[in-house]
Amino acid sequence: MVKSTPSVDVAVIGAGPYGLSLAAHLRARGVEHRIFGELMGSWKHNMPPGMLLKSYPWASNLSDPGSEFALKTFCTERALPYFDQLMPLPLSRFIEYGEAFQKRYVPAVERKTLMALEPSAGCFRATFDDGEIVHARRVVMAVGLHSFKRLPHQAAHLPTDLFSHSGDFGSLEPLDGKEIIVVGSGSSASDLAALLYERGVSVSLVVRRSQLEFAGQPRPRTLFERTTAPMSGIGNGWTLAACAKYPQLIRLLSKDLRVRLANIKALGPLGGAFMKDRVIGRVPVWLGRALQSTEACDGKVLLDLIDASGARHSMRADHVIFATGYKVDVARLGFLNPTLLRQIRLVEGAPQLSAHYETSVPGLHFIGPASANSFGPVCRFVYGTYHPARHLAGHLAAVLARFQPAPRVRPLDRTVMP
Ligand SMILES: Cc1cc2nc3c(=O)[nH]c(=O)nc-3n(C[C@H](O)[C@H](O)[C@H](O)COP(=O)(O)OP(=O)(O)OC[C@H]3O[C@@H](n4cnc5c(N)ncnc54)[C@H](O)[C@@H]3O)c2cc1C
């Protein structure tokens, strides 16, 4: 049922770190907007409880207009332990921080799901799951990664109860008592393997690479290290430092270079620094085994694997979890109307964006991981929220001000007598 058709200047879709940060800046600038989505939804439902953040606490701040509410401030105000670099930050603490940020800066998050977005007479018509239709001059997509889960083609024919993606788990309870194989070599794979093992679940980790790599434990760095490979919000080294600091310059590089930087090898696949001891020597790890095919057999899943010598191995489990990452592909955003989708110019599946995070469809913007092919790898991290929040909020404030009608002076306004 159609509830109403109000209009708004800016609709922000997504209430994770990127959507919240942008909304905080829009509010501070007096830009009329609404923000939709579940508050920190991906962090609550698509990451396993007990996970530790991979980013340093100092690099896990949401962006507020006065740069006043960093994670450190949040922890200090509540007398919670905080060490800039040496603390593994639990997922639950980061969610609490996001919720506190929302209460302070973005009071009006609307928990609704966008079902359809279409062009409509110079603006956008957005239909939500409760039936409400909103007309917006500008739409900013901050929908994160969840729609872009990557699964191997070998899983396509398996019954859905036999396999899942690492992003399908908020709680790990449904896996209790099962025999599980996790496939993958990145942080999601090692996190899930360790957390399942610690719950008493029978779990093995299957890795295509010949080694399982983990980030180094944080430690004080020498002057030489700091000079030759400076630390940045997304990793160490001059290239990452430049990407973290100057996303607007990355956009000016050639397409090939930008895409290469967005997927830069230095960023993984890599297990989290604090997970190494919780995996190695505890979880059975099968290295150098590439997936050839899968088969369902008597309610179990059979994996056919091949090693570097060409030898075949068969593994059986109740359930396999593919921790095989994400690949941005806007065509998978089911709410995008086909006409709109056809008009969005793409760079390897991701939208090609202007300096104002705008797609080739005027008024439609993307921020967060979907903008990495234009603005570089910093957009894949919470650390990157600062740039679109400041820059896009400023841009929207400027362009939308042009649309505001000049205030009309009514006679009564001029002569209000006591
Ligand atoms: C397992 C895992 C661990 C990670 N760990 C780290 C880390 O330690 N440090 C780090 O910096 N980054 C980490 N990342 C990357 C992190 O996901 C991104 O940095 C960050 O979440 C991007 O924020 P976002 O606001 O763009 O998206 P998200 O946080 O994913 O938020 C998406 C929002 O969009 C909403 N949404 C989606 N679809 C719709 C719709 N149709 N209608 C309405 N709302 C919708 C959701 O409800 C949610 O509110 C990790 C990613 C994964 C998968």
Side-chain angles (χ1 to χ4, degrees), residues 36-99:
F36 304 95
E38 183 172 357
L39 174 61
M40 299 295 280
S42 311
W43 301 82
K44 289 176 182 166
H45 304 300
N46 307 116
M47 302 185 194
M51 186 188 98
L52 301 172
L53 263 69
K54 261 56 74 183
S55 46
Y56 286 122
W58 68 267
S60 305
N61 298 321
L62 275 64
S63 174
D64 68 82
S67 303
E68 292 159 347
F69 197 56
L71 183 67
K72 183 177 185 171
T73 316
F74 165 78
C75 290
T76 311
E77 281 178 2
R78 286 159 184 76
L80 298 168
Y82 179 89
F83 303 97
D84 253 354
Q85 290 170 25
L86 302 177
M87 184 181 80
L89 182 66
L91 174 63
S92 55
R93 176 75 32 86
F94 185 64
I95 293 173
E96 284 164 21
Y97 167 58
E99 289 172 339

Side-chain angles (χ1 to χ4, degrees), residues 122-243:
C123 67
F124 296 92
R125 179 185 145 105
T127 308
F128 290 88
D129 56 347
D130 64 348
E132 188 183 5
I133 293 173
V134 174
H135 287 94
R137 281 192 216 279
R138 302 252 163 181
V139 174
V140 183
M141 292 294 166
V143 292
L145 282 170
H146 191 60
S147 307
F148 306 125
K149 292 181 288 184
R150 179 157 49 189
L151 282 163
H153 65 88
Q154 292 93 336
H157 63 282
L158 280 178
T160 49
D161 59 326
L162 291 184
F163 78 99
S164 50
H165 184 272
S166 53
D168 292 335
F169 297 97
S171 161
L172 296 178
E173 221 177 292
L175 301 170
D176 285 348
K178 293 192 172 169
E179 208 175 341
I180 305 290
I181 296 175
V182 178
V183 175
S185 56
S187 56
S188 291
S190 46
D191 284 359
L192 273 172
L195 292 166
L196 286 169
Y197 175 84
E198 288 163 10
R199 288 178 74 86
V201 174
S202 166
V203 58
S204 314
L205 183 57
V206 170
V207 179
R208 187 177 47 193
R209 298 164 154 238
S210 56
Q211 269 198 329
L212 195 54
E213 290 186 45
F214 292 85
Q217 288 270 356
R219 59 176 173 77
R221 305 177 75 225
T222 62
L223 178 63
F224 180 75
E225 285 171 324
R226 280 182 275 137
T227 313
T228 52
M231 180 187 274
S232 83
I234 61 172
N236 296 341
W238 283 103
T239 307
L240 290 181
C243 290

Side-chain angles (χ1 to χ4, degrees), residues 103-126:
K103 281 202 183 78
R104 217 177 256 222
Y105 298 101
V106 196
V109 173
E110 299 175 59
R111 190 176 169 177
K112 299 178 187 214
T113 303
L114 177 66
M115 305 304 286
L117 185 74
E118 52 210 318
S120 167
C123 67
F124 296 92
R125 179 185 145 105

